[in-house]
Amino acid sequence: MIEEIIERVKLSSKYKDINEKTILEIINIELPKHKNKKSLVKAVKNKLHQIYGAFLNRRDIEKIKSLLLELKRGEKLKKEIISEILQLHQSTRERIGVYEEIYREIFKVTGKPSSIIDLACGLNPFSIPFMNIESPILYYAYDIDSILIETINEFLSILDYQRLAKRKDVLFEDIEDQADICFIFKFLPIAEQIKKGLSLKLLSRVNSEFIIVSFPLKSISGRGKGMLENYSKIFEPILEERHKILERLILENEMFYILIERR
Ligand SMILES: C[S@@+](CC[C@H](N)C(=O)[O-])C[C@H]1O[C@@H](n2cnc3c(N)ncnc32)[C@H](O)[C@@H]1O
């Protein structure tokens, strides 16, 4: 029966490239709440839309592929093409004007890293050139969409970085890699939406000296009132369970926390 539900969800072109483990875990969470297959499939698709479908679409991925070809041919300036890619996703679009400042402020506290893990990365790896890091570092990037991961690996190799992007569900699959810094940008509210308690679990599975967590201060619909108070009230106790907050930064529409593990 579960196999059949997975197949039915994957019939939708929007979800055909998503990690099956993610679909399976969401089915397991939703299963007890539904009496028939039809409403279960609908609920699973709704959850997938909340965690994934609202952010990326196939046309955007095709656009990234063609921009990467332009980048390879060297027809336009690297930062110009990269900004066009970052424009395609709300989270990265909002940061374009402040990306250099974000990384400058983070690295002021952490030092320049030689490795980074970017969890639920979306398009964020395309911002590497804004980090002003001189030579290639190890950049692990995980997300649940295999086509997105292919384009990130393509980009990493254009930059002479190792192809370390992997399709991975960061909530339900192991995170084996280790890095100086771990980014978890705009993802903890999504983890809590899937199941309460998952964000604390995720934080305790990360193996990095520093973790940078961020929260949106404006929702997709543009409303933002009270998000700062809400997120700080809900998430600061979770962040402080195993980590110390070294710094809070507000840049553009986003709140960043720099965390270090308590010893
Ligand atoms: C709001 S976007 C944030 C993207 C990126 N971190 C940023 O801030 O630019 C959420 C991302 O989480 C990814 N995602 C959702 N659930 C996931 C999971 N369980 N494991 C890995 N990635 C996931 C989605 O595909 C999407 O790219």
Side-chain angles (χ1 to χ4, degrees):
M1 134 101 165
I2 292 204
E3 279 300 308
E4 188 197 332
I5 305 288
I6 294 180
E7 286 312 310
R8 277 167 71 170
V9 170
K10 289 191 84 168
L11 278 179
S12 155
S13 63
K14 226 164 134 189
Y15 304 125
K16 73 177 177 20
D17 300 311
I18 288 196
N19 199 346
E20 272 195 18
K21 176 81 176 151
T22 306
I23 302 176
L24 174 68
E25 292 293 339
I26 291 178
I27 293 174
N28 286 334
I29 293 168
E30 293 298 317
L31 194 58
K33 305 181 210 161
H34 297 273
K35 287 204 179 78
N36 61 59
K37 285 183 198 165
K38 197 172 164 205
S39 77
L40 177 59
V41 171
K42 195 166 168 224
V44 172
K45 282 189 178 172
N46 270 343
K47 266 268 144 74
L48 286 172
H49 180 76
Q50 284 169 21
I51 67 166
Y52 165 82
F55 304 107
L56 290 169
N57 67 49
R58 296 293 98 191
R59 236 179 311 131
D60 294 339
I61 301 271
E62 289 310 313
K63 174 97 181 132
I64 297 173
K65 284 187 184 164
S66 75
L67 285 166
L68 287 181
L69 279 178
E70 283 187 39
L71 190 60
K72 263 193 185 158
R73 288 196 228 106
E75 285 162 0
K76 275 198 220 162
L77 288 176
K78 189 154 85 183
K79 283 215 174 142
E80 206 176 300
I81 294 181
I82 287 158
S83 296
E84 277 189 56
I85 296 176
L86 296 170
Q87 284 281 355
L88 296 170
H89 194 296
Q90 168 164 359
S91 304
T92 45
R93 185 186 320 129
E94 288 178 353
R95 299 184 192 120
I96 292 177
V98 285
Y99 254 128
E100 288 195 332
E101 194 180 349
I102 293 172
Y103 291 130
R104 200 170 47 241
E105 291 300 317
I106 292 173
F107 298 158
K108 221 193 264 172
V109 178
T110 63
K112 282 212 178 163
S114 53
S115 52
I116 290 176
I117 299 192
D118 193 341
L119 301 183
C121 61
L123 296 183
N124 196 57
F126 291 99
S127 70
I128 290 174
F130 291 101
M131 292 180 189
N132 295 315
I133 287 175
E134 290 76 33
S135 44
I137 63 166
L138 300 175
Y139 199 99
Y140 303 93
Y142 305 147
D143 205 289
I144 50 177
D145 180 329
S146 52
I147 310 288
L148 168 69
I149 290 301
E150 263 174 45
T151 64
I152 294 172
N153 271 328
E154 188 57 29
F155 178 65
L156 290 173
S157 60
I158 294 173
L159 295 183
D160 272 338
Y161 277 51
Q162 288 184 42
R163 298 168 70 97
L164 296 176
K166 285 183 206 155
R167 185 180 77 169
K168 188 187 274 294
D169 187 308
V170 301
L171 298 174
F172 302 112
E173 291 179 311
D174 289 341
I175 302 169
E176 308 89 2
D177 300 302
Q178 231 181 313
D180 298 334
I181 305 182
C182 172
F183 294 157
I184 311 179
F185 291 169
K186 292 193 183 171
F187 182 64
L188 294 188
I190 292 178
E192 286 300 300
Q193 230 172 0
I194 297 174
K195 198 173 166 202
K196 216 167 170 311
L198 283 182
S199 49
L200 180 59
K201 264 200 188 143
L202 177 62
L203 287 167
S204 64
R205 287 165 52 239
V206 169
N207 206 345
S208 295
E209 188 180 1
F210 298 98
I211 305 182
I212 321 299
V213 172
S214 86
F215 299 94
L217 297 181
K218 208 169 118 192
S219 66
I220 288 185
S221 59
R223 279 175 284 124
K225 248 177 110 213
M227 284 174 88
L228 176 63
E229 292 74 24
N230 274 346
Y231 281 141
S232 355
K233 203 164 100 199
I234 299 169
F235 284 98
E236 284 191 9
I238 296 175
L239 301 181
E240 288 187 300
E241 184 101 4
R242 297 175 61 106
H243 295 83
K244 189 170 169 237
I245 298 172
L246 290 180
E247 197 151 328
R248 293 173 183 78
L249 300 165
I250 294 180
L251 288 162
E252 204 54 34
N253 293 316
E254 197 163 353
M255 163 91 152
F256 294 86
Y257 288 90
I258 304 182
L259 310 176
I260 189 162
E261 201 166 352
R262 286 185 196 280
R263 291 183 204 277

